mmCIF file of all heavy atoms in Angstrom:
data_model
loop_
_atom_site.group_PDB
_atom_site.id
_atom_site.type_symbol
_atom_site.label_atom_id
_atom_site.label_comp_id
_atom_site.label_asym_id
_atom_site.label_seq_id
_atom_site.Cartn_x
_atom_site.Cartn_y
_atom_site.Cartn_z
ATOM 1 N N VAL F 43 2.829 1.316 1.547
ATOM 2 C CA VAL F 43 3.713 1.784 2.619
ATOM 3 C C VAL F 43 3.465 3.272 2.833
ATOM 4 O O VAL F 43 2.851 3.947 2.007
ATOM 5 C CB VAL F 43 5.209 1.525 2.297
ATOM 6 C CG1 VAL F 43 5.494 0.049 2.170
ATOM 7 C CG2 VAL F 43 5.648 2.268 1.066
ATOM 8 N N PHE F 44 3.952 3.773 3.963
ATOM 9 C CA PHE F 44 3.844 5.191 4.277
ATOM 10 C C PHE F 44 5.233 5.757 4.510
ATOM 11 O O PHE F 44 6.137 5.046 4.926
ATOM 12 C CB PHE F 44 3.003 5.398 5.542
ATOM 13 C CG PHE F 44 1.561 5.078 5.338
ATOM 14 C CD1 PHE F 44 1.071 3.825 5.620
ATOM 15 C CD2 PHE F 44 0.697 6.047 4.872
ATOM 16 C CE1 PHE F 44 -0.261 3.527 5.437
ATOM 17 C CE2 PHE F 44 -0.641 5.766 4.678
ATOM 18 C CZ PHE F 44 -1.113 4.506 4.960
ATOM 19 N N PHE F 45 5.393 7.034 4.262
ATOM 20 C CA PHE F 45 6.645 7.733 4.525
ATOM 21 C C PHE F 45 6.491 8.536 5.803
ATOM 22 O O PHE F 45 5.644 9.420 5.900
ATOM 23 C CB PHE F 45 7.010 8.659 3.364
ATOM 24 C CG PHE F 45 7.187 7.939 2.065
ATOM 25 C CD1 PHE F 45 6.484 8.327 0.940
ATOM 26 C CD2 PHE F 45 8.050 6.865 1.962
ATOM 27 C CE1 PHE F 45 6.643 7.672 -0.258
ATOM 28 C CE2 PHE F 45 8.219 6.196 0.766
ATOM 29 C CZ PHE F 45 7.505 6.608 -0.347
ATOM 30 N N ILE F 46 7.291 8.212 6.810
ATOM 31 C CA ILE F 46 7.325 8.930 8.074
ATOM 32 C C ILE F 46 8.689 9.622 8.122
ATOM 33 O O ILE F 46 9.691 8.983 8.426
ATOM 34 C CB ILE F 46 7.155 7.991 9.280
ATOM 35 C CG1 ILE F 46 5.911 7.128 9.136
ATOM 36 C CG2 ILE F 46 7.154 8.776 10.578
ATOM 37 C CD1 ILE F 46 4.615 7.889 9.175
ATOM 38 N N GLY F 47 8.708 10.897 7.789
ATOM 39 C CA GLY F 47 9.992 11.590 7.670
ATOM 40 C C GLY F 47 10.770 11.001 6.505
ATOM 41 O O GLY F 47 10.306 10.993 5.378
ATOM 42 N N THR F 48 11.954 10.456 6.789
ATOM 43 C CA THR F 48 12.751 9.812 5.745
ATOM 44 C C THR F 48 12.662 8.295 5.812
ATOM 45 O O THR F 48 13.346 7.613 5.073
ATOM 46 C CB THR F 48 14.229 10.229 5.869
ATOM 47 O OG1 THR F 48 14.712 9.837 7.158
ATOM 48 C CG2 THR F 48 14.392 11.714 5.685
ATOM 49 N N HIS F 49 11.813 7.763 6.694
ATOM 50 C CA HIS F 49 11.687 6.317 6.869
ATOM 51 C C HIS F 49 10.480 5.788 6.095
ATOM 52 O O HIS F 49 9.475 6.466 5.950
ATOM 53 C CB HIS F 49 11.524 5.944 8.349
ATOM 54 C CG HIS F 49 12.725 6.260 9.165
ATOM 55 N ND1 HIS F 49 13.880 5.519 9.117
ATOM 56 C CD2 HIS F 49 12.967 7.240 10.051
ATOM 57 C CE1 HIS F 49 14.762 6.018 9.945
ATOM 58 N NE2 HIS F 49 14.229 7.089 10.525
ATOM 59 N N VAL F 50 10.620 4.545 5.648
ATOM 60 C CA VAL F 50 9.527 3.847 4.982
ATOM 61 C C VAL F 50 8.922 2.871 5.991
ATOM 62 O O VAL F 50 9.625 2.038 6.549
ATOM 63 C CB VAL F 50 10.029 3.089 3.747
ATOM 64 C CG1 VAL F 50 8.890 2.373 3.056
ATOM 65 C CG2 VAL F 50 10.712 4.030 2.785
ATOM 66 N N VAL F 51 7.622 2.992 6.260
ATOM 67 C CA VAL F 51 6.951 2.157 7.254
ATOM 68 C C VAL F 51 5.842 1.383 6.554
ATOM 69 O O VAL F 51 5.059 1.962 5.814
ATOM 70 C CB VAL F 51 6.362 3.025 8.388
ATOM 71 C CG1 VAL F 51 5.610 2.180 9.386
ATOM 72 C CG2 VAL F 51 7.457 3.816 9.065
ATOM 73 N N ARG F 52 5.783 0.059 6.802
ATOM 74 C CA ARG F 52 4.722 -0.722 6.165
ATOM 75 C C ARG F 52 3.716 -1.291 7.149
ATOM 76 O O ARG F 52 2.613 -1.625 6.776
ATOM 77 C CB ARG F 52 5.292 -1.830 5.296
ATOM 78 C CG ARG F 52 6.026 -2.879 6.039
ATOM 79 C CD ARG F 52 6.554 -3.944 5.105
ATOM 80 N NE ARG F 52 7.200 -4.957 5.915
ATOM 81 C CZ ARG F 52 7.257 -6.208 5.613
ATOM 82 N NH1 ARG F 52 6.750 -6.618 4.491
ATOM 83 N NH2 ARG F 52 7.844 -7.053 6.409
ATOM 84 N N THR F 53 4.076 -1.452 8.435
ATOM 85 C CA THR F 53 3.107 -1.900 9.438
ATOM 86 C C THR F 53 3.140 -0.940 10.614
ATOM 87 O O THR F 53 4.200 -0.478 11.026
ATOM 88 C CB THR F 53 3.418 -3.322 9.943
ATOM 89 O OG1 THR F 53 4.725 -3.361 10.474
ATOM 90 C CG2 THR F 53 3.283 -4.342 8.834
ATOM 91 N N VAL F 54 1.959 -0.630 11.147
ATOM 92 C CA VAL F 54 1.862 0.282 12.285
ATOM 93 C C VAL F 54 0.908 -0.279 13.324
ATOM 94 O O VAL F 54 0.026 -1.071 13.011
ATOM 95 C CB VAL F 54 1.390 1.694 11.875
ATOM 96 C CG1 VAL F 54 2.357 2.368 10.942
ATOM 97 C CG2 VAL F 54 0.012 1.655 11.274
ATOM 98 N N GLN F 55 1.120 0.124 14.557
ATOM 99 C CA GLN F 55 0.172 -0.086 15.638
ATOM 100 C C GLN F 55 -0.379 1.286 15.979
ATOM 101 O O GLN F 55 0.372 2.188 16.326
ATOM 102 C CB GLN F 55 0.851 -0.695 16.857
ATOM 103 C CG GLN F 55 1.373 -2.085 16.636
ATOM 104 C CD GLN F 55 2.096 -2.605 17.867
ATOM 105 O OE1 GLN F 55 2.128 -1.956 18.909
ATOM 106 N NE2 GLN F 55 2.680 -3.768 17.730
ATOM 107 N N VAL F 56 -1.679 1.445 15.844
ATOM 108 C CA VAL F 56 -2.315 2.741 16.089
ATOM 109 C C VAL F 56 -2.546 2.881 17.588
ATOM 110 O O VAL F 56 -3.157 2.022 18.214
ATOM 111 C CB VAL F 56 -3.637 2.854 15.318
ATOM 112 C CG1 VAL F 56 -4.301 4.188 15.589
ATOM 113 C CG2 VAL F 56 -3.395 2.675 13.832
ATOM 114 N N VAL F 57 -2.023 3.957 18.169
ATOM 115 C CA VAL F 57 -2.209 4.240 19.584
ATOM 116 C C VAL F 57 -2.887 5.597 19.717
ATOM 117 O O VAL F 57 -2.797 6.434 18.841
ATOM 118 C CB VAL F 57 -0.865 4.225 20.360
ATOM 119 C CG1 VAL F 57 -0.239 2.861 20.324
ATOM 120 C CG2 VAL F 57 0.103 5.255 19.825
ATOM 121 N N GLY F 58 -3.586 5.778 20.822
ATOM 122 C CA GLY F 58 -4.265 7.047 21.049
ATOM 123 C C GLY F 58 -5.224 6.945 22.205
ATOM 124 O O GLY F 58 -5.266 5.954 22.930
ATOM 125 N N ILE F 59 -6.022 7.955 22.364
ATOM 126 C CA ILE F 59 -6.988 8.036 23.453
ATOM 127 C C ILE F 59 -8.380 7.807 22.866
ATOM 128 O O ILE F 59 -8.823 8.554 21.993
ATOM 129 C CB ILE F 59 -6.920 9.409 24.134
ATOM 130 C CG1 ILE F 59 -5.521 9.630 24.699
ATOM 131 C CG2 ILE F 59 -7.969 9.517 25.222
ATOM 132 C CD1 ILE F 59 -5.264 11.041 25.148
ATOM 133 N N VAL F 60 -9.052 6.764 23.349
ATOM 134 C CA VAL F 60 -10.412 6.477 22.892
ATOM 135 C C VAL F 60 -11.359 7.449 23.589
ATOM 136 O O VAL F 60 -11.389 7.538 24.807
ATOM 137 C CB VAL F 60 -10.799 5.012 23.209
ATOM 138 C CG1 VAL F 60 -12.245 4.747 22.817
ATOM 139 C CG2 VAL F 60 -9.862 4.051 22.511
ATOM 140 N N VAL F 61 -12.123 8.198 22.791
ATOM 141 C CA VAL F 61 -13.046 9.181 23.364
ATOM 142 C C VAL F 61 -14.491 8.721 23.324
ATOM 143 O O VAL F 61 -15.323 9.247 24.053
ATOM 144 C CB VAL F 61 -12.891 10.561 22.686
ATOM 145 C CG1 VAL F 61 -11.541 11.154 22.985
ATOM 146 C CG2 VAL F 61 -13.127 10.468 21.199
#
Side-chain angles (χ1 to χ4, degrees):
V43 297
F44 291 93
F45 300 126
I46 307 294
T48 60
H49 295 285
V50 180
V51 177
R52 65 180 183 149
T53 57
V54 297
Q55 294 177 5
V56 179
V57 297
I59 300 169
V60 176
V61 294

